[in-house]
């Protein structure tokens, strides 16, 4: 099983979310442990990893739309959630 972690910045942003928004983001984090390449690929400057974004619609969060940006390293078999971007 792949391990999925929040970066310091993503963790701070997660704390500021409403409870239903936090639950939706946590569901994405848990799903990345079984499907680490989930989401739409985005450009990645790092070698040895790939970046993706999972977009949560307001209907899924009970609040704002949220983009969960993460990097997956197959060599480390780990996911780092780098950004949480919440819309209006």
């Amino acid at each position: 099983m792949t391990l999925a972690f929040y970066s310091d910045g993503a963790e701070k942003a997660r704390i500021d979310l409403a409870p239903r928004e936090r639950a939706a983001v946590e569901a994405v984090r848990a799903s990345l442990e079984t499907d680490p390449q989930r989401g739409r690929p985005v450009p990645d400057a790092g070698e040895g990893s790939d970046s993706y974004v999972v977009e949560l619609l307001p209907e899924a969060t009970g609040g704002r739309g949220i983009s969960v940006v993460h990097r997956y390293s197959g060599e480390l078999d780990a996911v780092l959630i780098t950004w949480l971007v919440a819309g209006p």
Side-chain angles (χ1 to χ4, degrees):
M1 177 166 68
T2 302
L3 297 177
F5 303 93
Y6 295 101
S7 70
D8 290 343
E11 179 63 27
K12 288 178 185 175
R14 189 183 71 84
I15 290 170
D16 291 337
L17 297 174
R20 285 187 61 194
E21 293 171 335
R22 264 195 315 273
V25 168
E26 181 58 24
V28 170
R29 189 209 57 79
S31 74
L32 293 173
E33 292 183 341
T34 56
D35 184 10
Q37 295 176 311
R38 177 179 175 203
R40 178 176 44 87
V42 294
D44 186 341
E47 291 185 35
S49 68
D50 298 306
S51 290
Y52 302 90
V53 63
V54 176
E55 296 178 6
L56 298 170
L57 297 176
E59 295 81 26
T61 66
R64 301 170 288 179
I66 299 173
S67 297
V68 180
V69 182
H70 65 281
R71 294 179 77 174
Y72 169 64
S73 170
E75 184 177 320
L76 298 175
D77 196 23
V79 170
L80 179 65
I81 297 173
T82 55
W83 295 98
L84 297 177
V85 181

